[in-house]
């Protein structure tokens, strides 16, 4: 069974902290994505990666960075967390020819105090 | 701008039929997805339409009219486990996925 695993389901951090959200997929997918999901809004793409060490900005990259050192792992980094980054974060992956996400992780609900 | 509209919330009765509508205005069109998302869980793929018409898959069907910028998801013989949010998403001319805010479906006994 295919799996996208996010390291934490719930996370609470303080303003100004550097926050790491980890995502691992076991399907040998080339593409990986980070979204945030907020009430009343559609999923918004933060960053995506189509290969190791490659990254592309999505719709709302400000305040975030990413790292893809290994094919199976895609990390989202909040350089200096702010309260407006409190949200549900979803990681997803897909095969190289499918530019849209196929499989999602269960999400990380991040609260910034 | 690009826009996906779907109702915020719908209520239906167990055993009944419900239709969830989605209208879109996007720069180009390369397909439309429907996903199901239970509370606190990952979205899961339900259907993909790129040509006009109805696609049936068990109790779920999805319809697309490209000329009208319109799709619907039809759920038959509703079960309590169908209580979830249903997300409509459109692939635009840049092959980017534009998401609707989702429709929360509440099933009552």
């Amino acid at each position: 069974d295919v799996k996208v695993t996010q390291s934490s389901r719930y996370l609470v951090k303080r303003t100004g902290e550097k926050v790491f959200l980890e995502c691992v997929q076991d399907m040998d997918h080339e593409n990986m994505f980070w979204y945030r999901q907020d009430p009343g809004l559609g999923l918004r793409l933060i960053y995506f990666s189509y290969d190791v060490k490659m990254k592309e900005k999505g719709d709302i990259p400000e305040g975030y960075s990413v790292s893809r050192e290994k094919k199976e792992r895609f990390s989202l980094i909040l350089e200096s967390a702010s309260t407006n980054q409190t949200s549900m974060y979803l990681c997803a992956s897909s095969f190289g020819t499918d530019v849209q996400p196929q499989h999602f992780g269960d999400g990380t609900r991040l609260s910034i105090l | 701008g690009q826009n996906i509209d779907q109702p915020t919330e719908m209520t239906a009765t167990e055993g009944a039929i419900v239709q969830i509508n989605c209208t879109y205005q996007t720069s180009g069109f390369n397909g439309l997805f429907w996903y199901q998302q239970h509370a606190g869980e990952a979205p899961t793929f339900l259907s993909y339409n790129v040509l006009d018409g109805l696609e049936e898959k068990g109790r779920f069907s999805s319809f697309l009219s490209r000329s009208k910028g319109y799709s619907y998801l039809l759920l038959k013989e509703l079960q309590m486990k169908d209580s979830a949010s249903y997300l409509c998403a459109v692939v635009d001319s840049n092959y980017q996925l534009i998401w609707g805010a989702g429709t929360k479906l509440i099933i009552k006994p």
Side-chain angles (χ1 to χ4, degrees):
Chain A
D1 199 16
V2 297
K3 195 75 176 167
V4 178
T5 303
Q6 295 183 229
S7 54
S8 304
R9 291 298 302 272
Y10 301 93
L11 205 54
V12 180
K13 296 290 182 181
R14 298 210 171 270
T15 303
E17 280 192 70
K18 190 169 187 176
V19 181
F20 293 85
L21 302 184
E22 304 288 348
C23 175
V24 176
Q25 50 93 4
D26 63 1
M27 296 160 282
D28 203 35
H29 282 169
E30 288 80 8
N31 304 322
M32 295 188 75
F33 308 80
W34 274 108
Y35 289 90
R36 63 178 284 176
Q37 186 175 31
D38 298 290
L41 299 176
L43 272 70
R44 291 181 291 169
L45 182 64
I46 305 171
Y47 269 97
F48 67 98
S49 168
Y50 53 87
D51 202 351
V52 177
K53 296 190 185 297
M54 307 300 286
K55 61 184 179 183
E56 293 286 340
K57 292 180 180 179
D59 300 319
I60 50 164
E62 296 79 18
Y64 303 93
S65 62
V66 290
S67 173
R68 184 103 181 263
E69 296 297 317
K70 294 184 178 181
K71 192 175 185 180
E72 67 271 19
R73 185 180 297 269
F74 192 34
S75 303
L76 179 70
I77 304 153
L78 285 66
E79 298 291 343
S80 177
S82 63
T83 54
N84 63 12
Q85 291 178 309
T86 291
S87 186
M88 170 69 89
Y89 290 87
L90 289 167
C91 175
S93 70
S94 66
F95 283 115
T97 55
D98 295 316
V99 295
Q100 293 81 37
Q102 289 174 310
H103 300 282
F104 284 84
D106 283 337
T108 296
R109 187 165 293 282
L110 175 65
S111 297
I112 307 296
L113 305 179
Chain B
Q2 309 209 84
N3 199 46
I4 310 287
D5 286 315
Q6 46 181 137
T8 303
E9 187 174 296
M10 298 181 71
T11 302
T13 304
E14 190 177 16
I17 298 173
V18 70
Q19 177 174 312
I20 302 174
N21 295 326
C22 172
T23 58
Y24 61 90
Q25 299 92 37
T26 56
S27 58
F29 177 85
N30 284 296
L32 185 144
F33 288 85
W34 283 98
Y35 289 83
Q36 180 189 60
Q37 185 179 24
H38 286 100
E41 296 183 12
T44 55
F45 169 83
L46 287 178
S47 67
Y48 173 67
N49 294 68
V50 66
L51 299 176
D52 290 349
L54 188 68
E55 297 268 349
E56 296 186 74
K57 196 182 292 185
R59 294 189 299 114
F60 291 12
S61 303
S62 56
F63 172 83
L64 174 67
S65 169
R66 287 172 297 170
S67 62
K68 295 181 179 178
Y70 168 68
S71 172
Y72 67 73
L73 182 69
L74 191 71
L75 291 74
K76 302 176 184 176
E77 301 169 18
L78 285 170
Q79 302 175 10
M80 298 303 293
K81 67 178 183 180
D82 297 331
S83 291
S85 288
Y86 291 86
L87 312 180
C88 173
V90 172
V91 184
D92 70 8
S93 57
N94 294 319
Y95 291 92
Q96 299 300 309
L97 204 54
I98 312 300
W99 294 83
T103 298
K104 183 178 181 180
L105 178 63
I106 299 167
I107 310 297
K108 295 187 174 179

